[in-house]
Amino acid sequence: MRAIESEFEAKIVVRGEEIIVTGADDEVQQITQVLRDLMRSVKNGLTQEVTDIIRASRTVKESGPDAARPFAGEFLDIMSKRERIRARGPNQQRYVEAVRDCDIVFSIGPAGTGKTYLAVAMALSALRRNDVERIVLTRPAVEAGESLGFLPGDPQEKVDPYLKPLYDALNDMTPGNKGNKLLEAGTIEIAPLAYMRGRTLNNAFVILDEAQNTTTAQMKMFLTRLGANSRAIITGDVTQVDLPEEKRSGLIEVQSILNNIKGISFIYLTEKDVVRHRLVQDIIKAYEKFEVEKEDKES
């Protein structure tokens, strides 16, 4: 109730089994529609998290009551530590369908939209079905405003902090020590992008994460690693490029280079697809507004 109320001026009061909504007529109707559809969703066995409720509330405010119905996305055959993983919005559903239909999928969008998490889930699902023999997870080791050069350890230990998000996603979806066992057996490999050079990846599900930090040459190198019966997901946020100013992001360039090739799909996620804390969506929108205003002043 508090999550819905935070999105409207109207007030919600709960008395026993009765919900009273007071405010402007249009907001009362919108909140009523959101509540009815959420209750119908729960009766059908779907669990709605706070982010789902906020997304439904914001959608009905922007698009009208017909868009308020909570999204019932496709479930994957992979469990997290909390629940079965599913697509949480129309764009995420298109993402899942694109991976099913295309061998190379680019997932581009802001932080918190589930780009990497869903990619790892779909890779594990393919491995479980024996569609592939192994999973390769990789990222470019680019410093995001901080230097790791003076950290102790060998080269692998120095780059591990860059790969931590991939380990986190994997550990959330593999029970007990199964993830470590798959890593030890080589069935799953997590490595910096530089380690991909010169290799041919057959029968593999390959994920390139943080691809906005690849150069043009690195992006071409990665895409040409794919061998027989392999598929790839490339994820990134083009608003968070950490490359030096003189280097152009390979993820930005590739959109115009490969956009007309059959078998390659580009999926774009927005702040509406954010599945992290509800404030993340507001933060992304605020930064977008700031950047637009900054460009207007400079022009």
Side-chain angles (χ1 to χ4, degrees), residues 83-219:
E83 62 181 353
R84 192 175 171 190
I85 296 170
R86 66 179 173 91
R88 292 193 170 276
N91 286 334
Q92 285 195 358
Q93 180 64 40
R94 282 191 282 271
Y95 183 12
V96 172
E97 292 170 355
V99 172
R100 191 164 53 230
D101 297 337
C102 301
D103 286 338
I104 297 178
V105 175
F106 290 83
S107 177
I108 300 172
T113 50
K115 304 184 299 294
T116 303
Y117 194 79
L118 271 177
V120 173
M122 288 183 281
L124 286 171
S125 177
L127 184 66
R128 171 179 285 184
R129 297 192 308 270
N130 295 317
D131 291 344
V132 295
E133 294 178 356
R134 58 179 171 151
I135 297 172
V136 179
L137 310 173
T138 185
R139 282 181 136 204
V142 175
E143 296 170 354
E146 301 175 10
S147 177
L148 297 178
F150 295 101
L151 287 178
D154 59 29
Q156 183 64 48
E157 289 171 329
K158 287 178 183 292
V159 298
D160 271 351
Y162 293 110
L163 306 173
K164 183 97 170 40
L166 296 173
Y167 284 106
D168 289 344
L170 178 63
N171 288 333
D172 192 49
M173 301 177 208
T174 50
N177 200 38
K178 186 177 180 181
N180 289 332
K181 290 180 179 178
L182 291 170
L183 287 167
E184 291 171 2
T187 304
I188 297 179
E189 176 185 354
I190 302 179
L193 179 60
Y195 290 19
M196 297 297 109
R197 189 173 297 278
R199 300 177 60 183
T200 299
L201 302 172
N202 294 317
N203 298 308
F205 199 120
V206 193
I207 298 172
L208 170 58
D209 193 34
E210 295 289 313
Q212 76 275 7
N213 289 327
T214 61
T215 62
T216 300
Q218 287 174 325
M219 178 63 76

Side-chain angles (χ1 to χ4, degrees), residues 239 284-298:
T239 69
I284 292 170
K285 291 175 72 174
Y287 268 97
E288 287 178 349
K289 181 181 178 183
F290 170 77
E291 292 296 335
V292 170
E293 291 175 349
K294 181 180 176 181
E295 289 177 4
D296 289 343
K297 288 180 181 178
E298 292 175 351

Side-chain angles (χ1 to χ4, degrees), residues 215-240:
T215 62
T216 300
Q218 287 174 325
M219 178 63 76
K220 181 181 177 182
M221 180 273 290
F222 171 79
L223 292 171
T224 54
R225 297 309 92 202
L226 289 186
N229 191 40
S230 288
R231 62 183 69 178
I233 298 179
I234 300 94
T235 73
D237 177 1
V238 293
T239 69
Q240 294 194 36

Side-chain angles (χ1 to χ4, degrees), residues 248-299:
R248 184 163 171 79
S249 167
L251 183 61
I252 292 176
E253 282 194 335
V254 78
Q255 296 175 69
S256 58
I257 297 172
L258 303 181
N259 62 340
N260 291 321
I261 296 182
K262 188 176 181 180
I264 297 178
S265 178
F266 287 84
I267 301 296
Y268 294 92
L269 304 171
T270 72
E271 78 280 350
K272 294 179 182 179
D273 301 301
V274 169
V275 291
R276 291 182 183 168
H277 192 287
R278 66 179 182 84
L279 288 177
V280 173
Q281 189 176 109
D282 295 326
I283 291 168
I284 292 170
K285 291 175 72 174
Y287 268 97
E288 287 178 349
K289 181 181 178 183
F290 170 77
E291 292 296 335
V292 170
E293 291 175 349
K294 181 180 176 181
E295 289 177 4
D296 289 343
K297 288 180 181 178
E298 292 175 351
S299 60

